[in-house]
Amino acid sequence: MATLEQKLTELLQGSVEDLGCELWGIECQRTGRFMTVRLFIDKENGVGIEDCADVSRQVSAILDVEDPITDKYNLEVSSPGLDRPLFTLSQYERYIGKEICVHLRIPVADRRKWQGVLEKLDNDMLTLIVDNQPQTLVFGNIQKANVVAKF
């Protein structure tokens, strides 16, 4: 069964692209009685406030008509930022050679949090270099991942 994030991605991706943006990813988080639906958008020359406003208006209209979310929710639209979350294997591919932080659903070697340089992808397997040692992780076991911003 598809997750809410997957359903929303299918529903909204075309409309976001029509506005000249890439739908980077969607997060849905419940806080008390409300849900926050967070859309991350990206654009070649960066995302501005007008891009976020345009996408927010378009997405709000679609969600009002299609009504895929049964609970009360708040919609947020923003850039993924420097420490951008990673959602798809193609996004991971863009960051091979960069440092990422990964939180796992099920621990590997008694750890749920791994941080290291993404060395390679092989189908749905990621290899991180952690403390000069390769560590292979399964994409399906990743709960959350993001790029580590370097200043």
Side-chain angles (χ1 to χ4, degrees), residues 104 106-115 130-131:
L104 303 176
I106 300 167
V108 171
D110 293 328
R111 288 175 62 177
R112 290 186 59 186
K113 182 179 178 183
W114 292 88
Q115 185 169 323
V130 180
D131 299 326

Side-chain angles (χ1 to χ4, degrees), residues 29-117:
Q29 281 185 313
R30 177 168 303 290
T31 308
R33 299 180 323 198
F34 292 93
M35 179 179 289
T36 299
V37 176
R38 193 170 291 118
L39 269 71
F40 296 100
I41 60 172
D42 205 8
K43 202 171 175 178
E44 189 173 320
N45 295 321
V47 174
I49 191 83
E50 285 302 316
D51 297 313
C52 293
D54 292 344
V55 169
S56 180
R57 279 190 292 278
Q58 182 71 21
V59 165
S60 291
I62 293 168
L63 294 178
D64 287 346
V65 171
E66 297 293 330
D67 201 23
I69 305 170
T70 56
D71 299 324
K72 293 181 180 181
Y73 66 92
N74 294 314
L75 177 65
E76 296 178 4
V77 178
S78 72
S79 160
L82 293 176
D83 60 345
R84 59 187 52 220
L86 300 172
F87 296 95
T88 66
L89 283 170
S90 64
Q91 291 172 351
Y92 283 86
E93 283 179 13
R94 295 182 194 184
Y95 290 93
I96 289 177
K98 305 290 185 198
E99 190 170 355
I100 66 171
C101 183
V102 176
H103 296 264
L104 303 176
R105 289 182 175 88
I106 300 167
V108 171
D110 293 328
R111 288 175 62 177
R112 290 186 59 186
K113 182 179 178 183
W114 292 88
Q115 185 169 323
V117 174

Side-chain angles (χ1 to χ4, degrees), residues 4 15 124:
L4 178 58
S15 296
D124 66 341

